[in-house]
Structures are given as structure tokens and as C-alpha cells.
Amino acid sequence: ASVTVTPVSSVLPPGAPTIGIATPGNTQATIAFTPPLADGGSAITSYTASCNPGNITGNNIASPITVTGLTNGTAYTCSVSASNAVGTGPSSAGVAVTPLPALALVSVASRKTHGAAGDFDITIDNAVPISAAVTTESRGIGLGHTLVFQFNNPVTAAGSVSVIDSAAIPVGVATLSTAANNVMVTLTGIADNKRVTVTLTNVNSIVTPFSASIGFLVGDVNGTRSVNSSDISGVKARSGQPTDALNFKFDVNASGAINSSDISAVKARSGLTLAP
């Protein structure tokens, strides 16, 4: 008697990779992962990332994989599988990602609410380093200093923020909020006559940081980084005026009107120069 025997290969498809972070881009997503613990007995030759809806795929021989052809604003779930000479193994767990248009910083401003008169912004020159001729915020801290970072496209994730002084020491407390294309940073615990650099990271999961440096010097209504007779005379000349878009810098206490309180605040700081 004879028996037909079919040998069974000991080589199997690879195990499932371990999914990592998905970084959104403009009509694309970059998927990070770690290789499976088991290659099935044969070297892994490629990895495939699949994003759904649409089963849109990308390939690479290592992490990460960039999947192109996605639709901006659409929420995708992406997973990764590994292949060897035998076949393709099971997929990893999924990771969520929403592609977005390229993000660029348009402007940064220091914003205060002047009572019933509303909000008024001082535009910050974010190209100036902290040690140079930074833009100054001449109004009192009140409930906090608010810096508005405006971007060219909608912000879906504010990321994280750091605030350091001119000695690179963390200062104050910063909280984040978003609205449309803006990230608002509210700073508390910042002393007067202080320079700081505020840096946002991971906005919309983009690693590139966005920074702006500013000096806080109450009474420097002329933006010279010092408080002097010109500032005092400027406030005096506008005393009695309601705050508007032309005179808001002289409303030092952001009350909505320029009065003796503002004059007193500037006089009290006369002779101060923004600390290096």
C-alpha cells in the first residue's frame, strides 16, 4: 500500500504590526508603526497601510507609510499589515486621522477686551527674536494676556504650548482654546516688564513649532520699549475719550474709556525700560 503525503510548510504570513501615530497632511496621512513580533519564518518584504472609507492604500518597506489621495476634512481609520514570501498577515488595530490643508501662520496679535468697547488687537512682529526689538503690550494683565495665533486653515487641534522668558525659564500659566483658524493662548502669572516667547507645537498634529516673542510693559503706549514723558502726554491728550480703534493703546487698564486711572498707571511706571 502507498500513501500520498503533501508536505506542510512551516513558514507562515507575518503577525500584525503595532499601530503608532497617524500624522495628517494635505490630502494625505503618514502612518507610523512597529514591526510584528513574528515574521512567520520568512523575512518581511513590505508593509501596506489601508485607510477607510475607500480602502486607499500606501506601501513601504519600513515605518512610516504615507498614504496619498485622501480627501481633506474626511475622517479616516488606517491600519497596517505586513507581507512576506508566503502572504499577507492580519492588520493592526486602526488609528484615526483627518487630512487637512497645509497649515501656515498668518499673524499673531495680543488681544484685550476694553469693556463695552469690545476687543482690540496689537499686532506682534513674530519674526523678531526675544532679545531684540520685540513688540510690547502696554495694557495691564487684567484677567490674563491673550495672544491670538491666526492660521491660513481651520484648526482642529490646538496642540501644546510653552512660555519661556529671556533666560529660557518657563514662566506663568498658559491655557489654549481654538476658534475657526485661530489658537488663543491665555497667559496668567506674567510679571510686568517681562519678555516671553510663546511657542505652539503639534497644532493639527503638525510637529513644526509656531512662535512669537513679546514684551509686557504697562504704559509703553508708544511702543518704544520704555515709559517716558511721551507716553504720559499721549494718555493725557486723550483723557475723556471712549476707547476706539485709534486710541485703544492709551486705555491702559482696558476699561473702555481713557481717564485719570490710565494717566496714573503710566506715571507710576515712568522711567522703566523693558528688561533684557
Side-chain angles (χ1 to χ4, degrees):
S2 62
V3 177
T4 300
V5 178
T6 302
V8 178
S9 172
S10 61
V11 179
L12 301 171
T18 300
I19 199 67
I21 295 172
T23 302
N26 187 19
T27 70
Q28 66 182 36
T30 300
I31 316 300
F33 60 90
T34 54
L37 296 176
D39 62 8
S42 178
I44 294 172
T45 55
S46 67
Y47 293 92
T48 300
S50 301
C51 295
N52 286 287
N55 193 32
I56 303 169
T57 62
N59 299 280
N60 201 2
I61 59 173
S63 176
I65 299 173
T66 298
V67 181
T68 60
L70 304 179
T71 300
N72 287 337
T74 297
Y76 291 89
T77 299
C78 302
S79 59
V80 178
S81 60
S83 300
N84 60 14
V86 175
T88 300
S91 296
S92 68
V95 62
V97 63
T98 301
L100 294 168
L103 197 68
L105 185 61
V106 175
S107 65
V108 186
S110 181
R111 177 171 296 170
K112 292 286 184 186
T113 300
H114 291 251
D119 295 339
F120 295 99
D121 293 352
I122 295 175
T123 300
I124 299 170
D125 186 349
N126 62 300
V128 177
I130 192 170
S131 59
V134 294
T135 304
T136 53
E137 170 56 85
S138 59
R139 298 165 291 182
I141 189 170
L143 297 177
H145 291 300
T146 298
L147 270 57
V148 181
F149 287 72
Q150 182 183 14
F151 294 90
N152 62 326
N153 285 303
V155 175
T156 58
S160 58
V161 61
S162 66
V163 184
I164 60 171
D165 64 13
S166 54
I169 297 172
V171 292
V173 176
T175 57
L176 296 176
S177 61
T178 63
N181 292 19
N182 299 329
V183 176
M184 281 75 70
V185 182
T186 300
L187 303 175
T188 55
I190 302 292
D192 188 35
N193 201 10
K194 192 81 169 176
R195 297 172 185 249
V196 302
T197 298
V198 179
T199 302
L200 300 177
T201 54
N202 294 317
V203 180
N204 285 4
S205 300
I206 296 171
V207 177
T208 304
F210 303 97
S211 296
S213 296
I214 184 172
F216 297 109
L217 183 60
V218 173
D220 178 25
V221 296
N222 293 329
T224 59
R225 289 165 295 283
S226 64
V227 184
N228 52 44
S229 58
S230 294
D231 300 295
I232 297 170
S233 61
V235 177
K236 282 183 175 180
R238 293 162 179 81
S239 183
Q241 296 179 1
T243 304
D244 59 29
L246 298 178
N247 65 19
F248 70 89
K249 288 184 180 181
F250 300 88
D251 181 13
V252 176
N253 60 7
S255 65
I258 303 169
N259 51 39
S260 59
S261 295
D262 301 299
I263 297 171
S264 297
V266 179
K267 282 184 174 180
R269 291 164 177 80
S270 182
L272 283 178
T273 297
L274 184 65

PDB file of all heavy atoms in Angstrom, residues 223-263:
ATOM      1  N   GLY A 223       5.116 102.187  22.122  1.00  0.00           N
ATOM      2  CA  GLY A 223       5.825 101.035  21.599  1.00  0.00           C
ATOM      3  C   GLY A 223       7.317 101.202  21.474  1.00  0.00           C
ATOM      4  O   GLY A 223       7.958 100.580  20.621  1.00  0.00           O
ATOM      5  N   THR A 224       7.916 102.010  22.358  1.00  0.00           N
ATOM      6  CA  THR A 224       9.359 102.255  22.293  1.00  0.00           C
ATOM      7  C   THR A 224      10.141 101.364  23.253  1.00  0.00           C
ATOM      8  O   THR A 224      11.350 101.496  23.358  1.00  0.00           O
ATOM      9  CB  THR A 224       9.667 103.718  22.632  1.00  0.00           C
ATOM     10  OG1 THR A 224       9.185 104.004  23.953  1.00  0.00           O
ATOM     11  CG2 THR A 224       9.020 104.652  21.625  1.00  0.00           C
ATOM     12  N   ARG A 225       9.430 100.488  23.977  1.00  0.00           N
ATOM     13  CA  ARG A 225      10.015  99.610  24.995  1.00  0.00           C
ATOM     14  C   ARG A 225      10.546 100.392  26.191  1.00  0.00           C
ATOM     15  O   ARG A 225      11.435  99.943  26.905  1.00  0.00           O
ATOM     16  CB  ARG A 225      11.105  98.694  24.387  1.00  0.00           C
ATOM     17  CG  ARG A 225      10.516  97.628  23.491  1.00  0.00           C
ATOM     18  CD  ARG A 225      11.528  96.972  22.612  1.00  0.00           C
ATOM     19  NE  ARG A 225      12.107  97.906  21.658  1.00  0.00           N
ATOM     20  CZ  ARG A 225      11.479  98.335  20.545  1.00  0.00           C
ATOM     21  NH1 ARG A 225      10.281  97.894  20.252  1.00  0.00           N
ATOM     22  NH2 ARG A 225      12.066  99.194  19.740  1.00  0.00           N
ATOM     23  N   SER A 226       9.987 101.589  26.390  1.00  0.00           N
ATOM     24  CA  SER A 226      10.272 102.370  27.594  1.00  0.00           C
ATOM     25  C   SER A 226       9.057 103.242  27.883  1.00  0.00           C
ATOM     26  O   SER A 226       8.248 103.522  26.993  1.00  0.00           O
ATOM     27  CB  SER A 226      11.521 103.240  27.414  1.00  0.00           C
ATOM     28  OG  SER A 226      11.306 104.206  26.405  1.00  0.00           O
ATOM     29  N   VAL A 227       8.913 103.643  29.142  1.00  0.00           N
ATOM     30  CA  VAL A 227       7.802 104.517  29.548  1.00  0.00           C
ATOM     31  C   VAL A 227       8.396 105.872  29.891  1.00  0.00           C
ATOM     32  O   VAL A 227       9.273 105.983  30.758  1.00  0.00           O
ATOM     33  CB  VAL A 227       7.049 103.939  30.763  1.00  0.00           C
ATOM     34  CG1 VAL A 227       5.838 104.808  31.096  1.00  0.00           C
ATOM     35  CG2 VAL A 227       6.606 102.498  30.496  1.00  0.00           C
ATOM     36  N   ASN A 228       7.928 106.905  29.207  1.00  0.00           N
ATOM     37  CA  ASN A 228       8.512 108.225  29.398  1.00  0.00           C
ATOM     38  C   ASN A 228       7.457 109.315  29.250  1.00  0.00           C
ATOM     39  O   ASN A 228       6.255 109.040  29.198  1.00  0.00           O
ATOM     40  CB  ASN A 228       9.667 108.437  28.418  1.00  0.00           C
ATOM     41  CG  ASN A 228       9.254 108.135  26.984  1.00  0.00           C
ATOM     42  OD1 ASN A 228       8.161 108.541  26.552  1.00  0.00           O
ATOM     43  ND2 ASN A 228      10.110 107.432  26.257  1.00  0.00           N
ATOM     44  N   SER A 229       7.923 110.544  29.177  1.00  0.00           N
ATOM     45  CA  SER A 229       7.008 111.690  29.127  1.00  0.00           C
ATOM     46  C   SER A 229       6.097 111.657  27.896  1.00  0.00           C
ATOM     47  O   SER A 229       4.968 112.152  27.941  1.00  0.00           O
ATOM     48  CB  SER A 229       7.803 112.997  29.154  1.00  0.00           C
ATOM     49  OG  SER A 229       8.706 113.052  28.065  1.00  0.00           O
ATOM     50  N   SER A 230       6.572 111.079  26.800  1.00  0.00           N
ATOM     51  CA  SER A 230       5.737 110.997  25.596  1.00  0.00           C
ATOM     52  C   SER A 230       4.515 110.117  25.833  1.00  0.00           C
ATOM     53  O   SER A 230       3.417 110.415  25.350  1.00  0.00           O
ATOM     54  CB  SER A 230       6.557 110.443  24.425  1.00  0.00           C
ATOM     55  OG  SER A 230       7.585 111.337  24.061  1.00  0.00           O
ATOM     56  N   ASP A 231       4.716 109.044  26.579  1.00  0.00           N
ATOM     57  CA  ASP A 231       3.585 108.167  26.908  1.00  0.00           C
ATOM     58  C   ASP A 231       2.587 108.883  27.804  1.00  0.00           C
ATOM     59  O   ASP A 231       1.368 108.808  27.598  1.00  0.00           O
ATOM     60  CB  ASP A 231       4.097 106.887  27.586  1.00  0.00           C
ATOM     61  CG  ASP A 231       5.050 106.100  26.703  1.00  0.00           C
ATOM     62  OD1 ASP A 231       4.607 105.602  25.658  1.00  0.00           O
ATOM     63  OD2 ASP A 231       6.231 105.989  27.064  1.00  0.00           O
ATOM     64  N   ILE A 232       3.107 109.601  28.806  1.00  0.00           N
ATOM     65  CA  ILE A 232       2.226 110.321  29.735  1.00  0.00           C
ATOM     66  C   ILE A 232       1.419 111.386  28.991  1.00  0.00           C
ATOM     67  O   ILE A 232       0.197 111.484  29.155  1.00  0.00           O
ATOM     68  CB  ILE A 232       3.050 110.966  30.873  1.00  0.00           C
ATOM     69  CG1 ILE A 232       3.739 109.878  31.703  1.00  0.00           C
ATOM     70  CG2 ILE A 232       2.153 111.823  31.756  1.00  0.00           C
ATOM     71  CD1 ILE A 232       4.754 110.417  32.702  1.00  0.00           C
ATOM     72  N   SER A 233       2.096 112.182  28.169  1.00  0.00           N
ATOM     73  CA  SER A 233       1.399 113.246  27.446  1.00  0.00           C
ATOM     74  C   SER A 233       0.399 112.675  26.447  1.00  0.00           C
ATOM     75  O   SER A 233      -0.665 113.259  26.212  1.00  0.00           O
ATOM     76  CB  SER A 233       2.404 114.147  26.747  1.00  0.00           C
ATOM     77  OG  SER A 233       3.181 113.425  25.805  1.00  0.00           O
ATOM     78  N   GLY A 234       0.719 111.513  25.873  1.00  0.00           N
ATOM     79  CA  GLY A 234      -0.191 110.882  24.933  1.00  0.00           C
ATOM     80  C   GLY A 234      -1.496 110.465  25.580  1.00  0.00           C
ATOM     81  O   GLY A 234      -2.578 110.641  25.016  1.00  0.00           O
ATOM     82  N   VAL A 235      -1.385 109.891  26.783  1.00  0.00           N
ATOM     83  CA  VAL A 235      -2.600 109.484  27.512  1.00  0.00           C
ATOM     84  C   VAL A 235      -3.386 110.705  27.961  1.00  0.00           C
ATOM     85  O   VAL A 235      -4.611 110.759  27.848  1.00  0.00           O
ATOM     86  CB  VAL A 235      -2.234 108.579  28.710  1.00  0.00           C
ATOM     87  CG1 VAL A 235      -3.484 108.220  29.508  1.00  0.00           C
ATOM     88  CG2 VAL A 235      -1.537 107.302  28.229  1.00  0.00           C
ATOM     89  N   LYS A 236      -2.665 111.720  28.463  1.00  0.00           N
ATOM     90  CA  LYS A 236      -3.346 112.945  28.916  1.00  0.00           C
ATOM     91  C   LYS A 236      -4.133 113.596  27.774  1.00  0.00           C
ATOM     92  O   LYS A 236      -5.252 114.078  27.970  1.00  0.00           O
ATOM     93  CB  LYS A 236      -2.321 113.939  29.461  1.00  0.00           C
ATOM     94  CG  LYS A 236      -1.821 113.636  30.858  1.00  0.00           C
ATOM     95  CD  LYS A 236      -0.874 114.738  31.325  1.00  0.00           C
ATOM     96  CE  LYS A 236      -0.442 114.549  32.773  1.00  0.00           C
ATOM     97  NZ  LYS A 236       0.474 115.630  33.220  1.00  0.00           N
ATOM     98  N   ALA A 237      -3.552 113.596  26.589  1.00  0.00           N
ATOM     99  CA  ALA A 237      -4.198 114.254  25.447  1.00  0.00           C
ATOM    100  C   ALA A 237      -5.502 113.569  25.052  1.00  0.00           C
ATOM    101  O   ALA A 237      -6.367 114.197  24.417  1.00  0.00           O
ATOM    102  CB  ALA A 237      -3.244 114.274  24.264  1.00  0.00           C
ATOM    103  N   ARG A 238      -5.653 112.317  25.444  1.00  0.00           N
ATOM    104  CA  ARG A 238      -6.853 111.559  25.071  1.00  0.00           C
ATOM    105  C   ARG A 238      -7.782 111.315  26.249  1.00  0.00           C
ATOM    106  O   ARG A 238      -8.793 110.615  26.111  1.00  0.00           O
ATOM    107  CB  ARG A 238      -6.435 110.232  24.433  1.00  0.00           C
ATOM    108  CG  ARG A 238      -5.745 110.419  23.082  1.00  0.00           C
ATOM    109  CD  ARG A 238      -4.954 109.200  22.663  1.00  0.00           C
ATOM    110  NE  ARG A 238      -4.317 109.398  21.363  1.00  0.00           N
ATOM    111  CZ  ARG A 238      -3.183 110.045  21.165  1.00  0.00           C
ATOM    112  NH1 ARG A 238      -2.540 110.594  22.214  1.00  0.00           N
ATOM    113  NH2 ARG A 238      -2.674 110.180  19.961  1.00  0.00           N
ATOM    114  N   SER A 239      -7.456 111.890  27.384  1.00  0.00           N
ATOM    115  CA  SER A 239      -8.288 111.696  28.576  1.00  0.00           C
ATOM    116  C   SER A 239      -9.715 112.167  28.312  1.00  0.00           C
ATOM    117  O   SER A 239      -9.946 113.240  27.751  1.00  0.00           O
ATOM    118  CB  SER A 239      -7.692 112.464  29.756  1.00  0.00           C
ATOM    119  OG  SER A 239      -8.451 112.228  30.924  1.00  0.00           O
ATOM    120  N   GLY A 240     -10.673 111.353  28.694  1.00  0.00           N
ATOM    121  CA  GLY A 240     -12.079 111.657  28.485  1.00  0.00           C
ATOM    122  C   GLY A 240     -12.659 111.019  27.236  1.00  0.00           C
ATOM    123  O   GLY A 240     -13.885 111.055  27.030  1.00  0.00           O
ATOM    124  N   GLN A 241     -11.820 110.433  26.403  1.00  0.00           N
ATOM    125  CA  GLN A 241     -12.313 109.798  25.181  1.00  0.00           C
ATOM    126  C   GLN A 241     -12.769 108.364  25.443  1.00  0.00           C
ATOM    127  O   GLN A 241     -12.150 107.643  26.236  1.00  0.00           O
ATOM    128  CB  GLN A 241     -11.212 109.758  24.114  1.00  0.00           C
ATOM    129  CG  GLN A 241     -10.740 111.107  23.626  1.00  0.00           C
ATOM    130  CD  GLN A 241      -9.640 110.977  22.584  1.00  0.00           C
ATOM    131  OE1 GLN A 241      -9.238 109.880  22.201  1.00  0.00           O
ATOM    132  NE2 GLN A 241      -9.137 112.125  22.121  1.00  0.00           N
ATOM    133  N   PRO A 242     -13.845 107.915  24.791  1.00  0.00           N
ATOM    134  CA  PRO A 242     -14.186 106.491  24.824  1.00  0.00           C
ATOM    135  C   PRO A 242     -13.183 105.725  23.963  1.00  0.00           C
ATOM    136  O   PRO A 242     -12.609 106.277  23.017  1.00  0.00           O
ATOM    137  CB  PRO A 242     -15.586 106.440  24.221  1.00  0.00           C
ATOM    138  CG  PRO A 242     -15.648 107.640  23.331  1.00  0.00           C
ATOM    139  CD  PRO A 242     -14.809 108.700  24.005  1.00  0.00           C
ATOM    140  N   THR A 243     -12.955 104.477  24.295  1.00  0.00           N
ATOM    141  CA  THR A 243     -11.977 103.677  23.568  1.00  0.00           C
ATOM    142  C   THR A 243     -12.481 103.332  22.179  1.00  0.00           C
ATOM    143  O   THR A 243     -13.624 102.923  21.996  1.00  0.00           O
ATOM    144  CB  THR A 243     -11.669 102.376  24.341  1.00  0.00           C
ATOM    145  OG1 THR A 243     -11.238 102.711  25.662  1.00  0.00           O
ATOM    146  CG2 THR A 243     -10.593 101.569  23.651  1.00  0.00           C
ATOM    147  N   ASP A 244     -11.594 103.485  21.184  1.00  0.00           N
ATOM    148  CA  ASP A 244     -11.929 103.079  19.823  1.00  0.00           C
ATOM    149  C   ASP A 244     -10.684 102.508  19.154  1.00  0.00           C
ATOM    150  O   ASP A 244      -9.620 102.355  19.787  1.00  0.00           O
ATOM    151  CB  ASP A 244     -12.512 104.250  19.021  1.00  0.00           C
ATOM    152  CG  ASP A 244     -11.563 105.448  18.918  1.00  0.00           C
ATOM    153  OD1 ASP A 244     -10.330 105.246  18.958  1.00  0.00           O
ATOM    154  OD2 ASP A 244     -12.050 106.583  18.799  1.00  0.00           O
ATOM    155  N   ALA A 245     -10.797 102.192  17.875  1.00  0.00           N
ATOM    156  CA  ALA A 245      -9.714 101.529  17.155  1.00  0.00           C
ATOM    157  C   ALA A 245      -8.479 102.410  17.006  1.00  0.00           C
ATOM    158  O   ALA A 245      -7.384 101.902  16.741  1.00  0.00           O
ATOM    159  CB  ALA A 245     -10.205 101.091  15.779  1.00  0.00           C
ATOM    160  N   LEU A 246      -8.618 103.723  17.164  1.00  0.00           N
ATOM    161  CA  LEU A 246      -7.486 104.631  17.000  1.00  0.00           C
ATOM    162  C   LEU A 246      -6.744 104.919  18.295  1.00  0.00           C
ATOM    163  O   LEU A 246      -5.552 105.246  18.275  1.00  0.00           O
ATOM    164  CB  LEU A 246      -7.958 105.951  16.374  1.00  0.00           C
ATOM    165  CG  LEU A 246      -8.567 105.850  14.970  1.00  0.00           C
ATOM    166  CD1 LEU A 246      -9.038 107.223  14.516  1.00  0.00           C
ATOM    167  CD2 LEU A 246      -7.558 105.272  13.982  1.00  0.00           C
ATOM    168  N   ASN A 247      -7.430 104.803  19.446  1.00  0.00           N
ATOM    169  CA  ASN A 247      -6.803 105.221  20.709  1.00  0.00           C
ATOM    170  C   ASN A 247      -6.692 104.117  21.755  1.00  0.00           C
ATOM    171  O   ASN A 247      -6.299 104.384  22.886  1.00  0.00           O
ATOM    172  CB  ASN A 247      -7.561 106.414  21.311  1.00  0.00           C
ATOM    173  CG  ASN A 247      -8.977 106.048  21.730  1.00  0.00           C
ATOM    174  OD1 ASN A 247      -9.322 104.884  21.915  1.00  0.00           O
ATOM    175  ND2 ASN A 247      -9.832 107.056  21.899  1.00  0.00           N
ATOM    176  N   PHE A 248      -7.028 102.885  21.385  1.00  0.00           N
ATOM    177  CA  PHE A 248      -7.152 101.833  22.408  1.00  0.00           C
ATOM    178  C   PHE A 248      -5.863 101.591  23.189  1.00  0.00           C
ATOM    179  O   PHE A 248      -5.906 101.178  24.353  1.00  0.00           O
ATOM    180  CB  PHE A 248      -7.647 100.530  21.769  1.00  0.00           C
ATOM    181  CG  PHE A 248      -6.644  99.846  20.869  1.00  0.00           C
ATOM    182  CD1 PHE A 248      -5.740  98.923  21.370  1.00  0.00           C
ATOM    183  CD2 PHE A 248      -6.625 100.118  19.511  1.00  0.00           C
ATOM    184  CE1 PHE A 248      -4.828  98.292  20.542  1.00  0.00           C
ATOM    185  CE2 PHE A 248      -5.718  99.494  18.671  1.00  0.00           C
ATOM    186  CZ  PHE A 248      -4.814  98.582  19.188  1.00  0.00           C
ATOM    187  N   LYS A 249      -4.702 101.820  22.605  1.00  0.00           N
ATOM    188  CA  LYS A 249      -3.449 101.589  23.329  1.00  0.00           C
ATOM    189  C   LYS A 249      -3.321 102.506  24.546  1.00  0.00           C
ATOM    190  O   LYS A 249      -2.608 102.185  25.502  1.00  0.00           O
ATOM    191  CB  LYS A 249      -2.254 101.795  22.405  1.00  0.00           C
ATOM    192  CG  LYS A 249      -2.070 100.710  21.356  1.00  0.00           C
ATOM    193  CD  LYS A 249      -0.797 100.953  20.563  1.00  0.00           C
ATOM    194  CE  LYS A 249      -0.585  99.896  19.507  1.00  0.00           C
ATOM    195  NZ  LYS A 249       0.662 100.106  18.729  1.00  0.00           N
ATOM    196  N   PHE A 250      -4.006 103.649  24.499  1.00  0.00           N
ATOM    197  CA  PHE A 250      -3.922 104.611  25.596  1.00  0.00           C
ATOM    198  C   PHE A 250      -4.897 104.279  26.726  1.00  0.00           C
ATOM    199  O   PHE A 250      -4.826 104.866  27.800  1.00  0.00           O
ATOM    200  CB  PHE A 250      -4.189 106.026  25.065  1.00  0.00           C
ATOM    201  CG  PHE A 250      -3.204 106.449  24.010  1.00  0.00           C
ATOM    202  CD1 PHE A 250      -3.434 106.160  22.673  1.00  0.00           C
ATOM    203  CD2 PHE A 250      -2.029 107.095  24.354  1.00  0.00           C
ATOM    204  CE1 PHE A 250      -2.524 106.536  21.692  1.00  0.00           C
ATOM    205  CE2 PHE A 250      -1.107 107.469  23.380  1.00  0.00           C
ATOM    206  CZ  PHE A 250      -1.356 107.183  22.046  1.00  0.00           C
ATOM    207  N   ASP A 251      -5.799 103.339  26.484  1.00  0.00           N
ATOM    208  CA  ASP A 251      -6.695 102.825  27.523  1.00  0.00           C
ATOM    209  C   ASP A 251      -5.948 101.716  28.252  1.00  0.00           C
ATOM    210  O   ASP A 251      -6.198 100.525  28.069  1.00  0.00           O
ATOM    211  CB  ASP A 251      -7.989 102.305  26.887  1.00  0.00           C
ATOM    212  CG  ASP A 251      -8.982 101.784  27.910  1.00  0.00           C
ATOM    213  OD1 ASP A 251      -8.793 102.034  29.122  1.00  0.00           O
ATOM    214  OD2 ASP A 251      -9.944 101.099  27.491  1.00  0.00           O
ATOM    215  N   VAL A 252      -5.017 102.117  29.101  1.00  0.00           N
ATOM    216  CA  VAL A 252      -4.046 101.201  29.699  1.00  0.00           C
ATOM    217  C   VAL A 252      -4.708 100.118  30.551  1.00  0.00           C
ATOM    218  O   VAL A 252      -4.261  98.972  30.588  1.00  0.00           O
ATOM    219  CB  VAL A 252      -3.008 101.993  30.524  1.00  0.00           C
ATOM    220  CG1 VAL A 252      -2.046 101.051  31.245  1.00  0.00           C
ATOM    221  CG2 VAL A 252      -2.237 102.936  29.610  1.00  0.00           C
ATOM    222  N   ASN A 253      -5.787 100.475  31.247  1.00  0.00           N
ATOM    223  CA  ASN A 253      -6.446  99.476  32.093  1.00  0.00           C
ATOM    224  C   ASN A 253      -7.588  98.761  31.373  1.00  0.00           C
ATOM    225  O   ASN A 253      -8.327  97.996  31.983  1.00  0.00           O
ATOM    226  CB  ASN A 253      -6.955 100.110  33.391  1.00  0.00           C
ATOM    227  CG  ASN A 253      -7.960 101.228  33.137  1.00  0.00           C
ATOM    228  OD1 ASN A 253      -8.387 101.459  32.003  1.00  0.00           O
ATOM    229  ND2 ASN A 253      -8.336 101.939  34.200  1.00  0.00           N
ATOM    230  N   ALA A 254      -7.740  99.008  30.061  1.00  0.00           N
ATOM    231  CA  ALA A 254      -8.729  98.327  29.220  1.00  0.00           C
ATOM    232  C   ALA A 254     -10.142  98.423  29.780  1.00  0.00           C
ATOM    233  O   ALA A 254     -10.921  97.479  29.712  1.00  0.00           O
ATOM    234  CB  ALA A 254      -8.332  96.863  29.018  1.00  0.00           C
ATOM    235  N   SER A 255     -10.478  99.597  30.303  1.00  0.00           N
ATOM    236  CA  SER A 255     -11.800  99.788  30.910  1.00  0.00           C
ATOM    237  C   SER A 255     -12.861 100.170  29.883  1.00  0.00           C
ATOM    238  O   SER A 255     -14.063 100.099  30.161  1.00  0.00           O
ATOM    239  CB  SER A 255     -11.726 100.885  31.978  1.00  0.00           C
ATOM    240  OG  SER A 255     -11.420 102.141  31.379  1.00  0.00           O
ATOM    241  N   GLY A 256     -12.428 100.616  28.719  1.00  0.00           N
ATOM    242  CA  GLY A 256     -13.360 101.096  27.709  1.00  0.00           C
ATOM    243  C   GLY A 256     -13.394 102.610  27.611  1.00  0.00           C
ATOM    244  O   GLY A 256     -14.115 103.165  26.777  1.00  0.00           O
ATOM    245  N   ALA A 257     -12.618 103.298  28.455  1.00  0.00           N
ATOM    246  CA  ALA A 257     -12.533 104.754  28.414  1.00  0.00           C
ATOM    247  C   ALA A 257     -11.158 105.180  28.922  1.00  0.00           C
ATOM    248  O   ALA A 257     -10.560 104.510  29.772  1.00  0.00           O
ATOM    249  CB  ALA A 257     -13.624 105.399  29.256  1.00  0.00           C
ATOM    250  N   ILE A 258     -10.653 106.281  28.407  1.00  0.00           N
ATOM    251  CA  ILE A 258      -9.349 106.792  28.822  1.00  0.00           C
ATOM    252  C   ILE A 258      -9.582 107.880  29.859  1.00  0.00           C
ATOM    253  O   ILE A 258     -10.311 108.845  29.621  1.00  0.00           O
ATOM    254  CB  ILE A 258      -8.580 107.353  27.617  1.00  0.00           C
ATOM    255  CG1 ILE A 258      -8.442 106.270  26.547  1.00  0.00           C
ATOM    256  CG2 ILE A 258      -7.201 107.860  28.035  1.00  0.00           C
ATOM    257  CD1 ILE A 258      -7.944 106.786  25.213  1.00  0.00           C
ATOM    258  N   ASN A 259      -8.993 107.694  31.052  1.00  0.00           N
ATOM    259  CA  ASN A 259      -9.279 108.622  32.156  1.00  0.00           C
ATOM    260  C   ASN A 259      -8.074 108.739  33.082  1.00  0.00           C
ATOM    261  O   ASN A 259      -6.967 108.298  32.741  1.00  0.00           O
ATOM    262  CB  ASN A 259     -10.528 108.171  32.912  1.00  0.00           C
ATOM    263  CG  ASN A 259     -10.452 106.704  33.316  1.00  0.00           C
ATOM    264  OD1 ASN A 259      -9.395 106.222  33.711  1.00  0.00           O
ATOM    265  ND2 ASN A 259     -11.572 105.998  33.208  1.00  0.00           N
ATOM    266  N   SER A 260      -8.318 109.309  34.266  1.00  0.00           N
ATOM    267  CA  SER A 260      -7.231 109.567  35.220  1.00  0.00           C
ATOM    268  C   SER A 260      -6.547 108.293  35.687  1.00  0.00           C
ATOM    269  O   SER A 260      -5.353 108.310  36.018  1.00  0.00           O
ATOM    270  CB  SER A 260      -7.777 110.338  36.428  1.00  0.00           C
ATOM    271  OG  SER A 260      -8.808 109.607  37.070  1.00  0.00           O
ATOM    272  N   SER A 261      -7.282 107.174  35.712  1.00  0.00           N
ATOM    273  CA  SER A 261      -6.659 105.906  36.121  1.00  0.00           C
ATOM    274  C   SER A 261      -5.553 105.505  35.147  1.00  0.00           C
ATOM    275  O   SER A 261      -4.500 104.990  35.558  1.00  0.00           O
ATOM    276  CB  SER A 261      -7.710 104.796  36.204  1.00  0.00           C
ATOM    277  OG  SER A 261      -8.645 105.062  37.220  1.00  0.00           O
ATOM    278  N   ASP A 262      -5.790 105.725  33.876  1.00  0.00           N
ATOM    279  CA  ASP A 262      -4.774 105.401  32.874  1.00  0.00           C
ATOM    280  C   ASP A 262      -3.568 106.330  33.008  1.00  0.00           C
ATOM    281  O   ASP A 262      -2.412 105.885  32.916  1.00  0.00           O
ATOM    282  CB  ASP A 262      -5.376 105.509  31.469  1.00  0.00           C
ATOM    283  CG  ASP A 262      -6.560 104.593  31.277  1.00  0.00           C
ATOM    284  OD1 ASP A 262      -6.367 103.369  31.391  1.00  0.00           O
ATOM    285  OD2 ASP A 262      -7.666 105.094  31.038  1.00  0.00           O
ATOM    286  N   ILE A 263      -3.821 107.589  33.248  1.00  0.00           N
ATOM    287  CA  ILE A 263      -2.722 108.552  33.429  1.00  0.00           C
ATOM    288  C   ILE A 263      -1.878 108.155  34.632  1.00  0.00           C
ATOM    289  O   ILE A 263      -0.643 108.146  34.568  1.00  0.00           O
ATOM    290  CB  ILE A 263      -3.276 109.981  33.607  1.00  0.00           C
ATOM    291  CG1 ILE A 263      -4.026 110.429  32.347  1.00  0.00           C
ATOM    292  CG2 ILE A 263      -2.140 110.953  33.917  1.00  0.00           C
ATOM    293  CD1 ILE A 263      -4.787 111.727  32.522  1.00  0.00           C
TER     294      ILE A 263
END
